[in-house]
Amino acid sequence: MINASRVIAIVSPESAPIKRMIQDAKEKGMLIDATHGRKTRAVLLADSDHIVLSYLQPEKLGERFQMNGADDSAEGAADV
């Protein structure tokens, strides 16, 4: 789970700048791999400079963040 209020962007991992950001985060120890061995389909950028890799599509993650944002009992967390 990730705190939705800390996520500043959900992007696709395909572009060269995002690939560079992932490599830099890996070297700095700021990369969190939540793919469970599957293909990376979304990259979440956090305000703490952490980068989270997810196997879920960016659209699906966006839906989960919106759904949990409307539900106060979820406390702003979303499954990645």
Side-chain angles (χ1 to χ4, degrees):
M1 294 193 127
I2 188 167
N3 186 343
S5 66
R6 304 295 303 263
V7 176
I8 55 175
I10 302 172
V11 295
S12 172
E14 303 303 320
S15 70
I18 297 300
K19 289 179 181 180
R20 280 193 299 272
M21 288 176 67
I22 292 169
Q23 187 60 38
D24 290 345
K26 188 175 186 178
E27 291 170 3
K28 294 178 186 175
M30 302 294 281
L31 182 69
I32 301 168
D33 186 352
T35 60
H36 304 287
R38 299 178 186 158
K39 180 181 176 182
T40 301
R41 294 193 173 145
V43 179
L44 293 87
L45 308 175
D47 62 357
S48 61
D49 290 334
H50 283 86
I51 294 181
V52 182
L53 305 179
S54 176
Y55 65 90
L56 297 172
Q57 294 288 343
E59 297 81 18
K60 182 61 111 175
L61 284 172
E63 290 172 12
R64 289 187 181 196
F65 278 93
Q66 287 178 348
M67 181 180 63
N68 287 333
D71 182 10
D72 292 337
S73 65
E75 297 181 11
D79 289 326
V80 284

